[in-house]
Amino acid sequence: MPAKELPDAERQAVCALLAALEPFRELRATMPLQYVTAFLLVAYEEGLGVGDYAERAETSISVMSRHLLDIGLRDRHMKPGFDLVTYRANPMELRKHEYALTDKGRALAHKILRAWGK
């Protein structure tokens, strides 16, 4: 017995989600979901530290740190990254970093939202 298809409204939602994710595929055809998640967490709430994003993603600080590096200006291997996020030292606690979208990251966020129809 063949599986039932999703209802039309749900299929349209899936189509919209695929369109919204396409800008990531344009950056890299095999863009890891972890990078997408890290980017979206920063886009949703800029100015937090790596520990905050790690907690929200339910992953370790070291893993989130690698993901944020990889979507930053230079990846963890000092090769060019995606330049989607940047960080600065927290003025009150210089050992802590605050992450924010770069201009390229902000443009990507707008492209995603337009593709999703929001």
Side-chain angles (χ1 to χ4, degrees), residues 96-116:
K96 292 187 177 183
H97 292 136
E98 298 173 342
Y99 288 83
L101 297 180
T102 61
D103 289 341
K104 182 178 176 182
R106 198 164 311 287
L108 178 66
H110 290 298
K111 192 173 184 179
I112 290 165
L113 293 172
R114 280 192 308 276
W116 196 18

Side-chain angles (χ1 to χ4, degrees), residues 33-71:
L33 179 59
Q34 297 90 334
Y35 292 1
V36 174
T37 300
F39 172 80
L40 293 173
L41 286 169
V42 174
Y44 178 71
E45 193 170 9
E46 293 181 82
L48 300 179
V50 66
D52 299 307
Y53 295 121
E55 184 178 318
R56 284 159 174 75
E58 298 181 2
T59 192
S60 69
I61 291 173
S62 61
V63 167
M64 181 56 69
S65 178
R66 286 193 301 267
H67 298 324
L68 290 170
L69 279 171
D70 290 345
I71 64 172

